[in-house]
PDB file of all heavy atoms in Angstrom:
ATOM      1  N   TYR A 458       0.777  -1.176  -0.093  1.00  0.00           N
ATOM      2  CA  TYR A 458       0.021   0.085  -0.092  1.00  0.00           C
ATOM      3  C   TYR A 458       0.857   1.280  -0.111  1.00  0.00           C
ATOM      4  O   TYR A 458       0.409   2.367  -0.441  1.00  0.00           O
ATOM      5  CB  TYR A 458      -1.042  -0.031   1.207  1.00  0.00           C
ATOM      6  CG  TYR A 458      -1.960  -1.185   1.144  1.00  0.00           C
ATOM      7  CD1 TYR A 458      -1.791  -2.204   1.980  1.00  0.00           C
ATOM      8  CD2 TYR A 458      -2.965  -1.184   0.185  1.00  0.00           C
ATOM      9  CE1 TYR A 458      -2.758  -3.371   1.907  1.00  0.00           C
ATOM     10  CE2 TYR A 458      -3.800  -2.256   0.130  1.00  0.00           C
ATOM     11  CZ  TYR A 458      -3.750  -3.414   0.921  1.00  0.00           C
ATOM     12  OH  TYR A 458      -4.496  -4.395   0.847  1.00  0.00           O
ATOM     13  N   ILE A 459       2.071   1.166   0.431  1.00  0.00           N
ATOM     14  CA  ILE A 459       2.874   2.458   0.573  1.00  0.00           C
ATOM     15  C   ILE A 459       3.727   2.578  -0.714  1.00  0.00           C
ATOM     16  O   ILE A 459       4.176   3.640  -1.021  1.00  0.00           O
ATOM     17  CB  ILE A 459       3.947   2.194   1.810  1.00  0.00           C
ATOM     18  CG1 ILE A 459       4.444   3.688   2.125  1.00  0.00           C
ATOM     19  CG2 ILE A 459       5.036   1.363   1.522  1.00  0.00           C
ATOM     20  CD1 ILE A 459       3.396   4.470   3.042  1.00  0.00           C
ATOM     21  N   LEU A 460       3.756   1.511  -1.458  1.00  0.00           N
ATOM     22  CA  LEU A 460       4.703   1.634  -2.807  1.00  0.00           C
ATOM     23  C   LEU A 460       4.402   2.868  -3.633  1.00  0.00           C
ATOM     24  O   LEU A 460       5.423   3.520  -4.103  1.00  0.00           O
ATOM     25  CB  LEU A 460       4.508   0.348  -3.475  1.00  0.00           C
ATOM     26  CG  LEU A 460       5.544   0.082  -4.624  1.00  0.00           C
ATOM     27  CD1 LEU A 460       6.972   0.013  -3.912  1.00  0.00           C
ATOM     28  CD2 LEU A 460       5.183  -1.325  -5.316  1.00  0.00           C
ATOM     29  N   PRO A 461       3.117   3.290  -3.934  1.00  0.00           N
ATOM     30  CA  PRO A 461       2.961   4.434  -4.742  1.00  0.00           C
ATOM     31  C   PRO A 461       3.453   5.708  -4.213  1.00  0.00           C
ATOM     32  O   PRO A 461       3.582   6.775  -4.846  1.00  0.00           O
ATOM     33  CB  PRO A 461       1.484   4.509  -4.964  1.00  0.00           C
ATOM     34  CG  PRO A 461       0.938   3.086  -4.694  1.00  0.00           C
ATOM     35  CD  PRO A 461       1.862   2.523  -3.478  1.00  0.00           C
ATOM     36  N   ARG A 462       3.634   5.745  -2.843  1.00  0.00           N
ATOM     37  CA  ARG A 462       4.108   6.973  -2.157  1.00  0.00           C
ATOM     38  C   ARG A 462       5.582   7.174  -1.992  1.00  0.00           C
ATOM     39  O   ARG A 462       6.119   8.257  -1.629  1.00  0.00           O
ATOM     40  CB  ARG A 462       3.452   6.954  -0.743  1.00  0.00           C
ATOM     41  CG  ARG A 462       1.910   6.929  -0.724  1.00  0.00           C
ATOM     42  CD  ARG A 462       1.404   7.656   0.610  1.00  0.00           C
ATOM     43  NE  ARG A 462       1.910   8.995   0.780  1.00  0.00           N
ATOM     44  CZ  ARG A 462       2.360   9.437   1.864  1.00  0.00           C
ATOM     45  NH1 ARG A 462       2.364   8.707   3.036  1.00  0.00           N
ATOM     46  NH2 ARG A 462       2.852  10.757   1.986  1.00  0.00           N
ATOM     47  N   ILE A 463       6.413   6.050  -2.299  1.00  0.00           N
ATOM     48  CA  ILE A 463       7.818   6.123  -2.103  1.00  0.00           C
ATOM     49  C   ILE A 463       8.521   6.120  -3.343  1.00  0.00           C
ATOM     50  O   ILE A 463       8.041   5.813  -4.401  1.00  0.00           O
ATOM     51  CB  ILE A 463       8.287   4.925  -1.021  1.00  0.00           C
ATOM     52  CG1 ILE A 463       8.049   3.655  -1.855  1.00  0.00           C
ATOM     53  CG2 ILE A 463       7.608   4.956   0.175  1.00  0.00           C
ATOM     54  CD1 ILE A 463       8.593   2.433  -1.106  1.00  0.00           C
ATOM     55  N   ASP A 464       9.782   6.618  -3.245  1.00  0.00           N
ATOM     56  CA  ASP A 464      10.654   6.808  -4.396  1.00  0.00           C
ATOM     57  C   ASP A 464      11.641   5.740  -4.642  1.00  0.00           C
ATOM     58  O   ASP A 464      11.976   5.306  -5.766  1.00  0.00           O
ATOM     59  CB  ASP A 464      11.440   8.148  -4.378  1.00  0.00           C
ATOM     60  CG  ASP A 464      10.623   9.251  -4.123  1.00  0.00           C
ATOM     61  OD1 ASP A 464       9.875   9.712  -5.127  1.00  0.00           O
ATOM     62  OD2 ASP A 464      10.389   9.737  -2.991  1.00  0.00           O
ATOM     63  N   MET A 465      11.802   4.938  -3.543  1.00  0.00           N
ATOM     64  CA  MET A 465      12.685   3.845  -3.680  1.00  0.00           C
ATOM     65  C   MET A 465      12.421   2.687  -2.618  1.00  0.00           C
ATOM     66  O   MET A 465      12.041   3.022  -1.471  1.00  0.00           O
ATOM     67  CB  MET A 465      14.150   4.297  -3.361  1.00  0.00           C
ATOM     68  CG  MET A 465      15.210   3.266  -3.489  1.00  0.00           C
ATOM     69  SD  MET A 465      16.843   4.081  -3.551  1.00  0.00           S
ATOM     70  CE  MET A 465      17.059   4.489  -1.695  1.00  0.00           C
ATOM     71  N   ALA A 466      12.578   1.524  -2.987  1.00  0.00           N
ATOM     72  CA  ALA A 466      12.420   0.445  -2.059  1.00  0.00           C
ATOM     73  C   ALA A 466      13.843  -0.187  -1.969  1.00  0.00           C
ATOM     74  O   ALA A 466      14.514  -0.531  -3.007  1.00  0.00           O
ATOM     75  CB  ALA A 466      11.385  -0.734  -2.693  1.00  0.00           C
ATOM     76  N   LEU A 467      14.327  -0.467  -0.717  1.00  0.00           N
ATOM     77  CA  LEU A 467      15.602  -1.018  -0.472  1.00  0.00           C
ATOM     78  C   LEU A 467      15.364  -2.429  -0.050  1.00  0.00           C
ATOM     79  O   LEU A 467      14.858  -2.700   0.942  1.00  0.00           O
ATOM     80  CB  LEU A 467      16.301  -0.252   0.554  1.00  0.00           C
ATOM     81  CG  LEU A 467      17.436  -0.835   1.188  1.00  0.00           C
ATOM     82  CD1 LEU A 467      18.560  -1.160   0.063  1.00  0.00           C
ATOM     83  CD2 LEU A 467      18.262   0.138   2.183  1.00  0.00           C
ATOM     84  N   ILE A 468      15.925  -3.382  -0.811  1.00  0.00           N
ATOM     85  CA  ILE A 468      15.867  -4.660  -0.377  1.00  0.00           C
ATOM     86  C   ILE A 468      17.187  -5.176   0.186  1.00  0.00           C
ATOM     87  O   ILE A 468      18.210  -5.109  -0.499  1.00  0.00           O
ATOM     88  CB  ILE A 468      15.539  -5.632  -1.612  1.00  0.00           C
ATOM     89  CG1 ILE A 468      14.280  -5.289  -2.364  1.00  0.00           C
ATOM     90  CG2 ILE A 468      15.691  -7.203  -1.195  1.00  0.00           C
ATOM     91  CD1 ILE A 468      13.070  -5.505  -1.288  1.00  0.00           C
ATOM     92  N   MET A 469      17.330  -5.372   1.557  1.00  0.00           N
ATOM     93  CA  MET A 469      18.522  -5.877   2.121  1.00  0.00           C
ATOM     94  C   MET A 469      18.844  -7.194   1.599  1.00  0.00           C
ATOM     95  O   MET A 469      17.981  -8.093   1.718  1.00  0.00           O
ATOM     96  CB  MET A 469      18.320  -5.850   3.663  1.00  0.00           C
ATOM     97  CG  MET A 469      18.200  -4.499   4.248  1.00  0.00           C
ATOM     98  SD  MET A 469      19.630  -3.368   4.075  1.00  0.00           S
ATOM     99  CE  MET A 469      20.939  -4.332   4.681  1.00  0.00           C
ATOM    100  N   THR A 470      20.075  -7.316   1.142  1.00  0.00           N
ATOM    101  CA  THR A 470      20.434  -8.520   0.590  1.00  0.00           C
ATOM    102  C   THR A 470      21.425  -9.289   1.499  1.00  0.00           C
ATOM    103  O   THR A 470      21.943 -10.415   1.310  1.00  0.00           O
ATOM    104  CB  THR A 470      21.213  -8.455  -0.859  1.00  0.00           C
ATOM    105  OG1 THR A 470      22.109  -7.231  -0.717  1.00  0.00           O
ATOM    106  CG2 THR A 470      20.213  -8.233  -1.972  1.00  0.00           C
ATOM    107  N   VAL A 471      21.549  -8.727   2.695  1.00  0.00           N
ATOM    108  CA  VAL A 471      22.184  -9.387   3.805  1.00  0.00           C
ATOM    109  C   VAL A 471      21.378  -8.943   5.129  1.00  0.00           C
ATOM    110  O   VAL A 471      20.625  -8.111   5.128  1.00  0.00           O
ATOM    111  CB  VAL A 471      23.666  -9.028   4.085  1.00  0.00           C
ATOM    112  CG1 VAL A 471      24.537  -9.477   2.866  1.00  0.00           C
ATOM    113  CG2 VAL A 471      23.782  -7.486   4.359  1.00  0.00           C
ATOM    114  N   ASN A 472      21.589  -9.623   6.211  1.00  0.00           N
ATOM    115  CA  ASN A 472      21.039  -9.185   7.454  1.00  0.00           C
ATOM    116  C   ASN A 472      21.672  -7.941   7.895  1.00  0.00           C
ATOM    117  O   ASN A 472      22.978  -7.831   7.870  1.00  0.00           O
ATOM    118  CB  ASN A 472      21.156 -10.285   8.480  1.00  0.00           C
ATOM    119  CG  ASN A 472      20.318 -11.515   8.219  1.00  0.00           C
ATOM    120  OD1 ASN A 472      19.130 -11.362   7.997  1.00  0.00           O
ATOM    121  ND2 ASN A 472      20.998 -12.555   8.184  1.00  0.00           N
ATOM    122  N   PRO A 473      21.060  -6.746   8.234  1.00  0.00           N
ATOM    123  CA  PRO A 473      21.681  -5.546   8.336  1.00  0.00           C
ATOM    124  C   PRO A 473      22.474  -5.471   9.662  1.00  0.00           C
ATOM    125  O   PRO A 473      22.228  -6.128  10.741  1.00  0.00           O
ATOM    126  CB  PRO A 473      20.387  -4.509   8.483  1.00  0.00           C
ATOM    127  CG  PRO A 473      19.292  -5.596   8.891  1.00  0.00           C
ATOM    128  CD  PRO A 473      19.546  -6.802   8.396  1.00  0.00           C
ATOM    129  N   GLY A 474      23.413  -4.615   9.586  1.00  0.00           N
ATOM    130  CA  GLY A 474      24.083  -4.188  10.804  1.00  0.00           C
ATOM    131  C   GLY A 474      25.564  -4.573  10.728  1.00  0.00           C
ATOM    132  O   GLY A 474      26.386  -4.107  11.520  1.00  0.00           O
ATOM    133  N   LEU A 475      26.037  -5.446   9.830  1.00  0.00           N
ATOM    134  CA  LEU A 475      27.386  -6.072   9.842  1.00  0.00           C
ATOM    135  C   LEU A 475      27.923  -6.046   8.328  1.00  0.00           C
ATOM    136  O   LEU A 475      27.199  -6.541   7.487  1.00  0.00           O
ATOM    137  CB  LEU A 475      27.557  -7.556  10.408  1.00  0.00           C
ATOM    138  CG  LEU A 475      27.151  -7.665  11.937  1.00  0.00           C
ATOM    139  CD1 LEU A 475      27.075  -8.992  12.325  1.00  0.00           C
ATOM    140  CD2 LEU A 475      28.084  -6.908  12.913  1.00  0.00           C
ATOM    141  N   GLY A 476      29.151  -5.482   8.263  1.00  0.00           N
ATOM    142  CA  GLY A 476      29.643  -5.444   6.872  1.00  0.00           C
ATOM    143  C   GLY A 476      30.363  -6.856   6.506  1.00  0.00           C
ATOM    144  O   GLY A 476      30.582  -7.511   7.372  1.00  0.00           O
ATOM    145  N   GLY A 477      30.655  -6.990   5.226  1.00  0.00           N
ATOM    146  CA  GLY A 477      31.370  -8.091   4.778  1.00  0.00           C
ATOM    147  C   GLY A 477      30.613  -9.304   4.777  1.00  0.00           C
ATOM    148  O   GLY A 477      31.250 -10.508   4.529  1.00  0.00           O
ATOM    149  N   GLN A 478      29.240  -9.487   4.837  1.00  0.00           N
ATOM    150  CA  GLN A 478      28.429 -10.614   4.771  1.00  0.00           C
ATOM    151  C   GLN A 478      28.284 -10.972   3.211  1.00  0.00           C
ATOM    152  O   GLN A 478      28.278 -10.257   2.426  1.00  0.00           O
ATOM    153  CB  GLN A 478      27.098 -10.541   5.191  1.00  0.00           C
ATOM    154  CG  GLN A 478      27.083 -10.121   6.779  1.00  0.00           C
ATOM    155  CD  GLN A 478      25.623  -9.883   7.285  1.00  0.00           C
ATOM    156  OE1 GLN A 478      24.919 -10.905   7.354  1.00  0.00           O
ATOM    157  NE2 GLN A 478      25.358  -8.716   7.642  1.00  0.00           N
ATOM    158  N   ALA A 479      28.042 -12.378   3.092  1.00  0.00           N
ATOM    159  CA  ALA A 479      27.697 -12.834   1.648  1.00  0.00           C
ATOM    160  C   ALA A 479      26.191 -12.703   1.425  1.00  0.00           C
ATOM    161  O   ALA A 479      25.374 -12.617   2.307  1.00  0.00           O
ATOM    162  CB  ALA A 479      28.043 -14.329   1.639  1.00  0.00           C
ATOM    163  N   LEU A 480      25.967 -12.312   0.217  1.00  0.00           N
ATOM    164  CA  LEU A 480      24.610 -12.043  -0.263  1.00  0.00           C
ATOM    165  C   LEU A 480      23.764 -13.262   0.053  1.00  0.00           C
ATOM    166  O   LEU A 480      24.124 -14.406  -0.324  1.00  0.00           O
ATOM    167  CB  LEU A 480      24.549 -11.743  -1.806  1.00  0.00           C
ATOM    168  CG  LEU A 480      23.306 -11.294  -2.447  1.00  0.00           C
ATOM    169  CD1 LEU A 480      23.530 -10.232  -3.544  1.00  0.00           C
ATOM    170  CD2 LEU A 480      22.615 -12.462  -3.072  1.00  0.00           C
ATOM    171  N   VAL A 481      22.515 -13.020   0.513  1.00  0.00           N
ATOM    172  CA  VAL A 481      21.574 -14.006   0.711  1.00  0.00           C
ATOM    173  C   VAL A 481      20.841 -14.301  -0.538  1.00  0.00           C
ATOM    174  O   VAL A 481      20.091 -13.387  -1.033  1.00  0.00           O
ATOM    175  CB  VAL A 481      20.507 -13.577   1.830  1.00  0.00           C
ATOM    176  CG1 VAL A 481      19.411 -14.733   2.063  1.00  0.00           C
ATOM    177  CG2 VAL A 481      21.296 -13.291   3.106  1.00  0.00           C
TER     178      VAL A 481
END
């Protein structure tokens, strides 16, 4: 429902918070 109101959707391709992880 929010999609028409936003400019960008960010799909996290790792679990957030730690760098250097492999893409899920």
Side-chain angles (χ1 to χ4, degrees):
Y458 298 107
I459 201 78
L460 196 58
R462 298 202 61 220
I463 64 177
D464 303 283
M465 185 170 73
L467 167 52
I468 301 298
M469 291 299 301
T470 42
V471 298
N472 292 307
L475 296 171
Q478 299 179 66
L480 182 145
V481 177

